[in-house]
Amino acid sequence: MHNYISRRQFVAAGLTVAAAASATAAAAVSGERPGDPPGLKLPLHLALFDTRFAAAHAFARALAVRGVSLAPYDGDVTPVWFEQLDPVWRQYPLAVAGLTTEGALFCLEQFAWDNGMRVAYRGIHCAAPGGGVQHLLESSAARPQDVQGRLAGVQPWPAQVAALIAGIDAPAAAFPSEPRSRSSARFHTRSRREAPAPRLVSWLIAPRNWRAAPPA
Amino acid sequence: MRTPPGISPATFAAAVSQFEKVVGPQWVFTRDEDTRLYNDAYSPFLGEPEERWASAAVAPATVEEVQEIVRIANRHSVPIYAISTGRNLGYGGAAPAWSGCVVLDLKRMNRILEVNEENAYALVEPGVSYFDLYRYIQERKLKLWIDCPDPGWGSLVGNALDRGSGYTFPYLRNHFDAHCGMEVVLANGELLRTGMGALPNSRTWQQYKTGFGPWIDGLFSQSNMGVVTKMGFWLMPQPEAYFCGRVLVRRRDDLHELVRLITLLENSNISSGCPDSSSPLLGIGSIGAQARFLAVDEPLPADDPELAALRDKAEAGDPSGLEAYGRRKNLAYWTFDIKFYGPAKVVAAQWESAKEILSAIPEAWFEDQGEYRFPLTEEPRDHARYPEFGIPSLNNFSLGARSSTNPTPSHGHMWLAPIIPRTAEAIFEANRVFGEAARQFGIPQLRFNLPAWYWQRSAIFIFGFPVSENPAENRHHREVFFHLIDVAGKHGWAEYRTGPVFQDAVARQFSFNNHSLMRFQETLKDALDPNGILSPGRYGIWPKHLRKPR
Ligand SMILES: Cc1cc2nc3c(=O)[nH]c(=O)nc-3n(C[C@H](O)[C@H](O)[C@H](O)COP(=O)(O)OP(=O)(O)OC[C@H]3O[C@@H](n4cnc5c(N)ncnc54)[C@H](O)[C@@H]3O)c2cc1C
């Protein structure tokens, strides 16, 4: 963290990007050009991804082209949280998405709660017994459209998950801790090139009232 | 809105509305969606009716607000449960010990009131996390280190009050020992300062622990006698260097001399960091190696079938085959990592001296595990060392997460953490006793294990029993846990700390002279908190109206 030159340099770069990110993301919200991937329906501050996993890279790329700045990390989510999220979350509850391990989401969710935010969408992705990847997508019961009928496209699943998150267009309803008040949908995807994936989780953490553009 | 047991909805509503007047309605939480966040994510009763729940939460920002809330709670007999950052995972999380309490969430009280670089101490409020204090020190470039537990997101106050531990100097890694002076709100709302803090205009509150007369600080740890609103802590001057050396020995019975000498090194201040042990032959990693392994999701090294058979024989009492295998493959039976902080020259001399002392063990050999100079100019090669360098982290948090080696992960774990004597006899005996007891219950994972060495004059076993979404499995683990508490008690061992579900059972073990310790605590509880509003049941101390016959 602060002590390490390598990480400090990386973070300095990350923060510069992050400062510009809100504005970029906000621009992506409004200004889509034909041929661009569909923009964000609501602004996203950062996309976290665990660089150990190819799927996470693909997810991040798909959000980067929508103007979201990226926060890569390799296994330990601490530096991203300490250097990039905590300083911002103390000021504003800004939305972030990620494709990470469950351990990382567990930590980030607790911090999110302290800052008036909630997990608004979660997808669990793991290797299917007969090959391919099994997905369980969950959102609040009030927003079944966020997860139902998804992951049917031809793109690799991480890109489809990124599109799903980018398409969420309403104030986040709290992700219910009660399983029975969640909407859920199961999918199975198969791709010849896909490496067997460990269990990963895609997620969106958003302010409880995710309406306004973030402060510039 | 759920109400605390025995409190009418009207009374509760009146108390809540008065809380709102004190802190503002935005800092009083009564909706299920919010109160559920205080549930223990690692609850041993996950999803069962006995899972602990909060009726509401209130988050004050100042000491005066805490005093006012306590007075209101007292007037209405509404039970409250104070937390600092509420990250007590494995030991109860943020959930109250008694369901229905209003959680008094002190996270907003997060001011760092003083950091003294020359004399290495700090005074903080309960909401200050290890990360917060680390950030403060780094931003000001102070030459100070903190001593933090594995996860850095907890608070200095909450961790010390639950008597947690870290990784640096012995007197600092015992977090309750490392504190110096408290400020406490009593159940009647009165404010008290301990130690030198009781002296108006005191200038030594964080410099001299015991003050004058009885030293009462212990009454507020692992208890429910007051709400702590400030605490002083001693910090570590940034050392010039850190060195880790490893001693390796060949024979099973070498553990006796090894533990004795490691203890001597520590008690003589020759070594200064937290020792860490392993057994390559038995396949027991050091705590550091386990943290590394869990964090990076590497597959377990494939075991040689010959080795597996020899391990079984060794566990059954005949280690000769395993020792011979070790000689052939140059594998140690036991290793200890010994750590040193200080000037580079001193550290080098200490390691030389340690090697001389440990050479008394026949065939012992030594390996250098690496030196670091501070401030660090590059990341440590080994992330598991972060807390040893006073750097808070969440790196360790893959524990319980799903990985290729752990395909059906738990929702966390309940720590069974008995303190045992610091001798090899005790290690062998505890392994035999716990192993037999666990096998009776069909728990295979309690194979031979090594304790941790956080505490200077004792050792501590830490077994994590998984919590899952399967109530039958959780019930089974609770049964074993309760059983092992009794078994430990019968052998003169007890947990250093435990979660609310098990606190009565552990407290019952401390029964000397017809429970005179508990009777003393209850006498104090009745005098200090006659309405029993503060954290009922915490560490087995119940107010009169909820006390059950022993
Ligand atoms: C993977 C893992 C590794 C861990 N490693 C360690 C470790 O190395 N060392 C260690 O010590 N722990 C460890 N823990 C346990 C735990 O996470 C830490 O001890 C944590 O710091 C405790 O949470 P907290 O600081 O937020 O305390 P809190 O949850 O805020 O407090 C703990 C309890 O103290 C009481 N309390 C808190 N504040 C007050 C107050 N102001 N007034 C009165 N009473 C109060 C309450 O009863 C509360 O429930 C580990 C847990 C996990 C999951």
Side-chain angles (χ1 to χ4, degrees):
Chain A
M1 284 172 284
H2 277 75
N3 268 337
Y4 314 136
I5 285 176
S6 56
R7 194 158 269 167
R8 195 180 324 120
Q9 286 165 337
F10 161 67
V11 163
L15 282 179
T16 321
V17 180
S22 310
T24 326
V29 171
S30 50
E32 277 170 30
R33 287 173 313 188
D36 283 351
L40 299 169
K41 292 285 197 244
L42 288 167
L44 258 185
H45 175 64
L46 271 183
L48 274 71
F49 69 107
D50 190 328
T51 54
R52 297 172 303 170
F53 309 114
H57 283 271
F59 170 85
R61 268 195 306 275
L63 283 176
V65 294
R66 292 176 165 90
V68 180
S69 59
L70 303 182
Y73 69 93
D74 69 343
D76 179 8
V77 76
T78 313
V80 167
W81 171 77
F82 188 79
E83 302 285 357
Q84 291 176 266
L85 280 181
D86 185 43
V88 177
W89 275 359
R90 278 168 192 265
Q91 311 286 324
Y92 318 103
L94 292 179
V96 293
L99 188 64
T100 65
T101 59
E102 286 170 309
L105 174 59
F106 178 72
C107 296
L108 293 172
E109 182 171 18
Q110 306 252 333
F111 288 125
W113 291 347
D114 294 347
N115 292 285
M117 287 178 288
R118 298 288 189 272
V119 170
Y121 148 83
R122 183 177 72 180
I124 297 169
H125 316 277
C126 56
V133 181
Q134 220 164 260
H135 310 267
L136 171 64
L137 311 186
E138 295 180 304
S139 65
S140 111
R143 298 203 42 89
Q145 68 274 31
D146 290 343
V147 292
Q148 275 159 19
R150 315 302 293 244
L151 302 198
V154 289
Q155 284 179 308
W157 69 262
Q160 294 194 59
V161 167
L164 179 165
I165 290 175
I168 294 180
D169 63 356
F175 184 75
S177 43
E178 279 282 309
R180 66 173 166 269
S181 35
R182 294 179 204 157
S183 279
S184 66
R186 285 175 194 278
F187 303 93
H188 183 232
T189 56
R190 209 179 264 282
S191 140
R192 261 177 295 134
R193 287 189 325 170
E194 205 156 50
R199 189 173 156 116
L200 293 176
V201 55
S202 59
W203 47 264
L204 168 67
I205 288 176
R208 284 162 74 186
N209 294 304
W210 195 35
R211 280 172 211 282
Chain B
M1 181 163 78
R2 290 204 274 181
T3 56
I7 306 292
S8 73
T11 304
F12 191 53
V16 165
S17 103
Q18 288 173 28
F19 292 153
E20 287 178 344
K21 287 205 183 84
V22 175
V23 295
Q26 71 276 32
W27 298 113
V28 179
F29 307 102
T30 52
R31 285 170 27 193
D32 270 8
E33 186 217 317
D34 295 317
T35 56
R36 215 182 280 129
L37 304 187
Y38 293 93
N39 284 13
D40 176 11
Y42 290 8
S43 170
F45 280 106
L46 198 69
E48 295 181 64
E50 295 89 339
E51 184 174 347
R52 307 307 199 244
W53 53 271
S55 55
V58 52
T62 64
V63 177
E64 292 73 24
E65 288 180 3
V66 173
Q67 289 178 281
E68 211 34 56
I69 289 162
V70 169
R71 287 189 191 111
I72 294 165
N74 224 333
R75 273 202 299 277
H76 296 86
S77 294
V78 166
I80 55 180
Y81 188 84
I83 57 164
S84 289
T85 40
R87 311 242 189 258
N88 205 7
L89 294 167
Y91 299 111
W98 192 50
S99 281
C101 286
V102 173
V103 170
L104 182 61
D105 182 342
L106 302 176
K107 264 192 235 87
R108 290 177 67 218
M109 293 177 64
N110 59 359
R111 287 177 310 152
I112 296 168
L113 300 163
E114 186 186 358
V115 176
N116 185 307
E117 188 178 21
E118 278 152 35
N119 206 6
Y121 65 78
L123 178 66
V124 298
E125 290 189 329
V128 173
S129 72
Y130 292 99
F131 280 118
D132 294 335
L133 187 56
Y134 178 78
R135 191 190 291 284
Y136 180 102
I137 288 171
Q138 295 300 314
E139 280 173 357
R140 288 161 186 75
K141 299 192 177 4
L142 306 180
K143 291 200 166 50
L144 288 174
W145 279 17
I146 60 171
D147 184 290
C148 47
D150 272 319
W153 60 359
S155 54
L156 285 90
V157 171
N159 185 285
L161 292 181
D162 218 32
R163 303 213 282 254
S165 62
Y167 287 91
T168 66
F169 289 157
Y171 74 96
L172 295 178
R173 65 178 184 254
N174 179 329
H175 291 162
F176 188 72
D177 268 9
H179 100 274
C180 187
M182 286 181 180
E183 180 185 84
V184 187
V185 173
L186 298 175
N188 60 4
E190 199 176 356
L191 197 63
L192 170 116
R193 287 186 174 174
T194 68
M196 284 307 200
L199 194 66
N201 305 316
S202 167
R203 293 163 163 205
T204 54
W205 193 15
Q206 273 62 63
Q207 299 172 37
Y208 183 78
K209 293 185 181 192
T210 53
F212 189 74
W215 187 31
I216 62 166
D217 293 38
L219 290 177
F220 302 104
S221 71
Q222 296 197 348
S223 82
N224 49 15
M225 309 286 177
V227 178
V228 176
T229 46
K230 288 184 185 67
M231 238 169 134
F233 289 94
W234 288 354
L235 306 173
M236 178 168 165
Q238 176 183 286
E240 182 188 315
Y242 161 99
F243 180 83
C244 176
R246 178 170 294 175
V247 53
L248 305 95
V249 298
R250 293 270 179 227
R251 296 171 315 141
R252 176 185 186 272
D253 283 350
D254 289 337
L255 191 62
H256 295 274
E257 194 60 355
L258 190 55
V259 171
R260 195 181 72 75
L261 293 177
I262 294 293
T263 301
L264 175 71
L265 291 179
E266 218 182 349
N267 291 348
S268 318
N269 276 356
I270 296 172
S271 69
S272 46
C274 186
D276 198 355
S277 49
S278 79
S279 171
L281 278 178
L282 292 176
I284 305 168
S286 61
I287 305 256
Q290 284 169 20
R292 220 162 25 237
F293 161 67
L294 287 161
V296 296
D297 184 27
E298 275 167 359
L300 276 166
D303 267 351
D304 175 350
E306 182 195 353
L307 178 60
L310 291 171
R311 277 181 187 163
D312 288 342
K313 271 180 100 177
E315 276 188 40
D318 174 13
S320 57
L322 193 58
E323 289 171 357
Y325 180 97
R327 282 204 173 75
R328 249 189 306 142
K329 305 261 179 179
N330 198 28
L331 284 175
Y333 212 111
W334 313 111
T335 78
F336 254 96
D337 284 354
I338 311 162
K339 290 126 189 211
F340 307 87
Y341 299 97
K345 280 186 197 159
V346 174
V347 157
Q350 284 170 322
W351 175 224
E352 284 312 310
S353 167
K355 283 196 282 194
E356 241 173 76
I357 292 170
L358 290 159
S359 295
I361 303 173
E363 298 180 80
W365 79 101
F366 302 94
E367 289 173 358
D368 291 0
Q369 294 292 301
E371 190 201 58
Y372 288 90
R373 300 287 178 108
F374 305 101
L376 291 168
T377 51
E378 58 176 75
E379 271 182 52
R381 290 177 289 280
D382 174 358
H383 287 215
R385 294 241 161 94
Y386 282 159
E388 288 184 0
F389 297 162
I391 303 172
S393 161
L394 295 170
N395 184 39
N396 185 271
F397 245 92
S398 319
L399 192 61
R402 207 162 305 236
S403 68
S404 55
T405 51
N406 183 19
T408 49
S410 62
H411 272 255
H413 45 266
M414 21 183 156
W415 300 120
L416 178 82
I419 298 273
I420 62 158
R422 233 183 202 244
T423 62
E425 287 85 10
I427 295 171
F428 289 128
E429 186 189 356
N431 267 292
R432 187 179 47 73
V433 168
F434 287 126
E436 273 166 19
R439 271 189 293 277
Q440 275 172 24
F441 279 82
I443 304 270
Q445 59 267 51
L446 288 192
R447 274 188 85 113
F448 194 92
N449 215 331
L450 280 168
W453 308 92
Y454 302 121
W455 313 119
Q456 199 174 0
R457 279 179 169 71
S458 55
I460 179 170
F461 273 110
I462 304 189
F463 306 115
F465 283 80
V467 172
S468 73
E469 273 180 7
N470 179 343
E473 206 172 286
N474 292 341
R475 188 177 333 111
H476 182 55
H477 285 150
R478 290 194 306 268
E479 279 166 18
V480 187
F481 202 113
F482 279 120
H483 179 65
L484 294 181
I485 290 171
D486 279 341
V487 167
K490 289 200 176 84
H491 287 81
W493 312 314
E495 285 57 42
Y496 88 112
R497 169 187 185 187
T498 198
V501 169
F502 306 106
Q503 286 170 355
D504 286 333
V506 176
R508 263 199 306 275
Q509 305 298 323
F510 290 77
S511 60
F512 170 77
N513 191 20
N514 187 24
H515 302 269
S516 56
L517 177 62
M518 181 51 81
R519 285 186 285 116
F520 175 74
Q521 289 164 351
E522 287 170 351
T523 305
L524 291 176
K525 179 72 180 166
D526 294 344
L528 289 170
D529 182 13
N531 292 328
I533 55 152
L534 295 184
S535 305
R538 179 159 157 76
Y539 278 80
I541 307 168
W542 291 94
K544 223 176 209 156
H545 68 285
L546 297 173
R547 214 167 280 158
K548 294 192 188 89
R550 260 185 285 277

